[in-house]
Amino acid sequence: MLQIQTIVSAPFDENTYLVWLPDRTEVLVIDPGLEPDLILEFLEERGLSVAAILNTHGHADHIGGNAALKKKYPLAPIIIGVNEAHFLTDPVANLSAVFGMPIVSPPADQLVSDDETIEHAGISMHVREIPGHSPGHVVFVIAGKPTIVLGGDVLFRDSVGRTDFPGGSFALLASGIRKKLYTLPEDAVVYPGHGPVTTVGNEKRSNSFVPGEVS
C-alpha cells in the first residue's frame, strides 16, 4: 500500500504529492509547489528523504519548489516530460513572469517520453503524455489495486485543466483524457494538481467537459 501525503501550496492551492513505500524512507515528490518549506518540514518530521522530483508539467506553481528541494537533496533527479523541459528555465514559458515573480528551476536531470516506464524509490511508474493544458504535460500512472494516477492539471473532479494558456488545446486535452485516462480501470484514483481526488469512473460518468461511456 503506497503512502501518499498531500501538501497544498498557496496562492494557487496547488497539490504537491509525496509518495513512498511504507517499508522505505525514500520519497517521490510530485510537483513541488511555491511553499517548499512545508514539504521540507514534513520530510524532516518523518525522517524521510527525496529520491526523485517529478514535474507533470512546467507551470510555475508546479515547479516552484524544485530549486529548494534540489539544494537540500542534490542527488535527487528532476524529471519532466521531454516536450516540457524548457519551461523549467524560462519564466515567460512557465508563466511566472506574467505575475511579476520570475521563477526558474534547475534544469532537468531526466526527460521522459510517452509510454516510458521509470522506477525510483522502488516505485514503477508508466508515463503518459497528455498535452492540452501545456504542450508536453505528462501523467505518472502507478499500477496496483487501485491504480494511482498522479495527474497534474489534466483531469480534475468534474472538471479539466484550462486550455487558454500558450500552447493549450482543448481538443488535444479531451482526446488524451479519453485515450489515456478513461481506458484505465474505473476505480483508478486520480490525484490532481488542484482540488480533491477523484476516480476515472466518476469522471466518465459526471465530467461535463469530457464525458465518457462507462463500460
Side-chain angles (χ1 to χ4, degrees):
M1 181 67 69
L2 286 175
Q3 305 295 302
I4 302 178
Q5 176 71 27
T6 306
I7 295 178
V8 181
S9 294
F12 301 107
D13 290 335
E14 183 269 347
N15 294 330
T16 296
Y17 296 108
L18 279 58
V19 183
W20 71 99
L21 293 170
D23 59 345
R24 301 183 68 148
T25 59
E26 302 90 2
V27 174
L28 305 176
V29 180
I30 293 86
D31 289 346
L34 294 168
E35 295 187 282
D37 287 349
L38 299 178
I39 303 169
L40 294 170
E41 289 169 6
F42 179 86
L43 293 169
E44 184 175 354
E45 289 172 359
R46 296 293 186 94
L48 301 170
S49 62
V50 177
I53 302 161
L54 289 78
N55 298 133
T56 59
H57 62 297
H59 289 160
D61 55 330
H62 291 257
I63 67 169
N66 281 9
L69 289 180
K70 186 70 172 177
K71 181 179 180 180
K72 178 69 174 180
Y73 302 98
L75 297 182
I78 293 175
I79 302 168
I80 197 169
V82 64
N83 294 313
E84 199 86 357
H86 66 287
F87 281 51
L88 295 175
T89 55
D90 184 344
V92 175
N94 68 38
L95 304 180
S96 60
V98 175
F99 292 96
M101 48 179 221
I103 290 171
V104 294
S105 160
D109 299 294
Q110 181 179 352
L111 300 179
V112 293
S113 301
D114 185 51
D115 205 30
E116 184 176 348
T117 298
I118 61 173
E119 182 174 331
H120 291 277
I123 301 170
S124 179
M125 295 162 283
H126 185 243
V127 180
R128 300 189 177 195
E129 185 177 76
I130 304 180
H133 174 70
S134 64
H137 196 300
V138 298
V139 303
F140 300 98
V141 179
I142 304 172
K145 294 186 181 298
T147 294
I148 300 296
V149 180
L150 301 163
D153 288 358
V154 170
L155 184 64
F156 302 138
R157 183 184 290 183
D158 299 328
S159 189
V160 297
R162 56 189 294 179
T163 58
D164 58 340
F165 293 133
S169 166
F170 179 78
L172 285 176
L173 183 68
S175 175
I177 289 171
R178 289 194 173 101
K179 293 178 180 178
K180 297 181 180 180
L181 293 185
Y182 283 1
T183 52
L184 293 170
E186 296 210 353
D187 65 349
V189 181
V190 180
Y191 287 81
H194 305 268
V197 300
T198 187
T199 65
V200 166
N202 180 74
E203 296 316 306
K204 289 169 70 175
R205 287 185 291 270
S206 65
N207 194 303
S208 61
F209 294 92
V210 184
E213 296 181 3
V214 181
S215 59

